[in-house]
Amino acid sequence: MVPPKKRRHILFGRVNFIALPDPGPAMTSHLMPTYSRVDLAFAQGEGAWLTATNGERYLDFCCGVAVTALGHRHPHLVAALTEQANKVWHVSNLYDIPEADRVADRLCAASFAEVVFFQNSGAEAVECSIKTARKYQSANGHPERYRIITFEGAFHGRTLAALAATGNKKYLDGFGPPVDGFEQKPCGDLDAVKRAIGPETAAILIEPIMGEGGVRVVEPAFLKALRELCDRHGLLLMFDEVQTGMGRTGELFCYQRTGVTPDVMTLAKALGGGFPVGACLATREAAKGMTPGTHGSTFGFNPLAMSAANATLDVMLAPGFFDHVKKVGLLLKQRLAEIKDRYPSLIAEVRGEGLLIGLRALVPAGELVDALRGEQVLAVAAGDNVVRLLPPLIVSEAEIGEGVARLDRACARLDAAHSRQRKQEAAR
Ligand SMILES: *Cc1c(COP(=O)(O)O)cnc(C)c1O
């Protein structure tokens, strides 16, 4: 048994309200300590709710960071995965995998794409998109075109190439020279992108809404201008929809809201409804270099993962599903605008689309996340001092109301603590 970590309790009266892991040496866990985890574990999920091992019930507006889009233990997903588990778990890509054909057919029917490669994570899907772009240029007789333009504040994953695409110095530090062939430009700065396009440029990679970067919505006009630049210079336009995809913004894919169609698109997070699966989608033309032997994955196309993805699609493609997402998304945004008006010293802005919503905070975002957890709501911080609210797409109007009521209480508590603090400082 691993003994509980020591905790520091700060700021607020309630025990376990703001609890930071002790940075001291008493680390006995055998997990590589790359995460500072909260002292909270969950035993059971049901829809938008998670029950902790201590019996407390939490409203899950984090969704394992945009993964469990259909909530926990969705009966259709449970049935599909159980059925597949009783058939076959794994076979290898040496053989046909009918479940994979079916997911690919359905994703292509629902999007611009014509071919799909499946992996196990978002970073791998991004890797596949990078390889697809480089091979496309190479197949066109331009192997020298390998460089990809990405954007400041983006997030594309943690493998070495995805990190180089991300370009965040904090994540790259100490890992040796970053993979060559990526440069970040300020999002929205078209002139900077134009100047960056040279004889070695292969593609432009962008998230239509920067999720980890703080729910920053990219202007459709900017995406349209990128599309035109790509067409003019023979570059591929690639959308990283690992977070925005699979209904998060109120359409199956975010690009459908923008009026701009990419050549390549990556998916992961919600694709398997909680089962690990990623995908790189492309037109046949964009994927022309991905010929037999050029790419592979042992676990990619795994029948369990494919069954989970098919079950997710069954639910999402049913009539009316996205009407619900749009409706609750709008309700959440309206209710959050009221909270912002009530606590102008805590919340500066409500932004995002559908159920990918960010609150830009005027106190450290982590404090608001902790205060929410104190009210038994799970949320997650993002860049630009933003708190992300990512309810499951099946969330009810009543659960949105409950979440907002709890946010209200968390803000009231935080507001009181901060005004106490200000008074004490003024008295000194
Ligand atoms: C989460 C995320 C990734 C990385 O996905 P992993 O499954 O963690 O590798 C890549 N791109 C975007 C936009 C993401 O949000």
Side-chain angles (χ1 to χ4, degrees), residues 11-183:
L11 252 182
F12 303 102
R14 184 165 164 186
V15 175
N16 209 6
F17 189 43
I18 293 216
L20 298 177
D22 182 14
M27 275 301 194
T28 47
S29 168
H30 295 289
L31 301 178
M32 221 183 255
T34 60
Y35 284 101
S36 32
R37 297 167 197 274
V38 170
D39 190 11
L40 185 61
F42 298 103
Q44 180 84 57
E46 182 83 60
W49 298 86
L50 276 170
T51 305
T53 46
N54 63 9
E56 288 175 340
R57 281 185 90 226
Y58 285 78
L59 192 50
D60 187 4
F61 278 15
C62 170
C63 278
V65 192
V67 168
T68 50
L70 302 180
H72 298 282
R73 218 152 50 95
H74 189 291
H76 185 66
L77 267 62
V78 173
L81 211 47
T82 308
E83 193 188 324
Q84 188 61 44
N86 280 311
K87 286 182 183 166
V88 59
W89 286 26
H90 182 79
V91 291
S92 157
N93 288 296
L94 295 169
Y95 313 103
D96 279 339
I97 300 174
E99 298 81 11
D101 277 306
R102 182 145 183 265
V103 188
D105 289 350
R106 299 170 88 189
L107 288 176
C108 289
S111 74
F112 71 91
E114 293 162 321
V115 286
V116 187
F117 191 98
F118 290 108
Q119 306 88 339
N120 317 292
S121 68
E124 282 173 285
V126 169
E127 288 277 336
C128 184
S129 73
I130 294 164
K131 291 177 82 171
T132 299
R134 290 182 174 188
K135 270 286 192 186
Y136 167 77
Q137 299 294 358
S138 164
N140 280 342
H142 292 290
E144 77 285 359
R145 289 189 170 197
Y146 71 101
R147 301 189 65 83
I148 296 176
I149 297 168
T150 63
F151 294 90
E152 291 170 5
F155 183 78
H156 299 298
R158 299 285 202 143
T159 60
L160 286 169
L163 266 189
T166 297
N168 185 327
K169 292 207 172 44
K170 198 175 75 188
Y171 296 159
L172 283 161
D173 182 51
F175 291 117
V179 173
D180 181 35
F182 299 91
E183 55 203 301

Side-chain angles (χ1 to χ4, degrees), residues 126-390:
V126 169
E127 288 277 336
C128 184
S129 73
I130 294 164
K131 291 177 82 171
T132 299
R134 290 182 174 188
K135 270 286 192 186
Y136 167 77
Q137 299 294 358
S138 164
N140 280 342
H142 292 290
E144 77 285 359
R145 289 189 170 197
Y146 71 101
R147 301 189 65 83
I148 296 176
I149 297 168
T150 63
F151 294 90
E152 291 170 5
F155 183 78
H156 299 298
R158 299 285 202 143
T159 60
L160 286 169
L163 266 189
T166 297
N168 185 327
K169 292 207 172 44
K170 198 175 75 188
Y171 296 159
L172 283 161
D173 182 51
F175 291 117
V179 173
D180 181 35
F182 299 91
E183 55 203 301
Q184 288 75 38
K185 295 295 155 199
C187 190
D189 188 343
L190 197 61
D191 286 333
V193 177
K194 281 183 189 159
R195 281 196 302 274
I197 295 173
E200 295 185 335
T201 309
I204 296 175
L205 170 65
I206 189 166
E207 295 162 84
I209 298 177
M210 293 186 183
E212 303 298 316
V215 192
R216 283 187 282 172
V217 180
V218 180
E219 284 293 323
F222 184 65
L223 296 174
K224 189 157 174 278
L226 294 182
R227 176 73 273 174
E228 284 163 11
L229 278 180
C230 285
D231 292 343
R232 191 173 328 141
H233 294 277
L235 316 177
L236 294 185
L237 180 62
M238 311 204 288
F239 281 3
D240 183 352
E241 292 226 31
V242 166
Q243 187 153 163
T244 54
M246 302 311 290
R248 191 41 66 191
T249 66
E251 300 286 348
L252 189 55
F253 308 113
C254 184
Y255 86 83
Q256 293 165 325
R257 312 179 60 97
T258 67
V260 178
T261 304
D263 304 297
V264 177
M265 172 171 73
T266 49
L267 299 174
K269 290 192 163 86
L271 179 55
F275 200 95
V277 54
C280 177
L281 289 72
T283 61
R284 277 189 203 282
E285 172 66 12
K288 72 203 279 185
M290 301 303 274
T291 52
T294 52
H295 198 37
S297 167
T298 298
F299 285 120
F301 305 78
N302 169 278
L304 287 172
M306 294 298 107
S307 298
N310 268 316
T312 301
L313 283 168
D314 290 341
V315 177
M316 289 193 181
L317 295 177
F321 183 82
F322 292 110
D323 296 336
H324 172 79
V325 180
K326 284 178 195 142
K327 192 166 153 200
V328 287
L330 195 63
L331 175 68
L332 177 61
K333 228 174 165 180
Q334 282 165 349
R335 300 295 312 277
L336 291 175
E338 294 163 20
I339 297 286
K340 169 185 160 288
D341 290 345
R342 204 166 311 152
Y343 303 99
S345 63
L346 296 183
I347 297 167
E349 189 189 351
V350 180
R351 63 196 190 194
E353 303 280 358
L355 289 173
L356 174 51
I357 298 295
L359 302 175
R360 192 160 63 77
L362 294 168
V363 295
E367 277 187 26
L368 189 50
V369 170
D370 290 342
L372 271 167
R373 200 169 57 254
E375 297 295 334
Q376 287 161 311
V377 178
L378 303 177
V380 57
D384 206 22
N385 204 43
V386 161
V387 175
R388 258 178 305 172
L389 298 177
L390 304 161

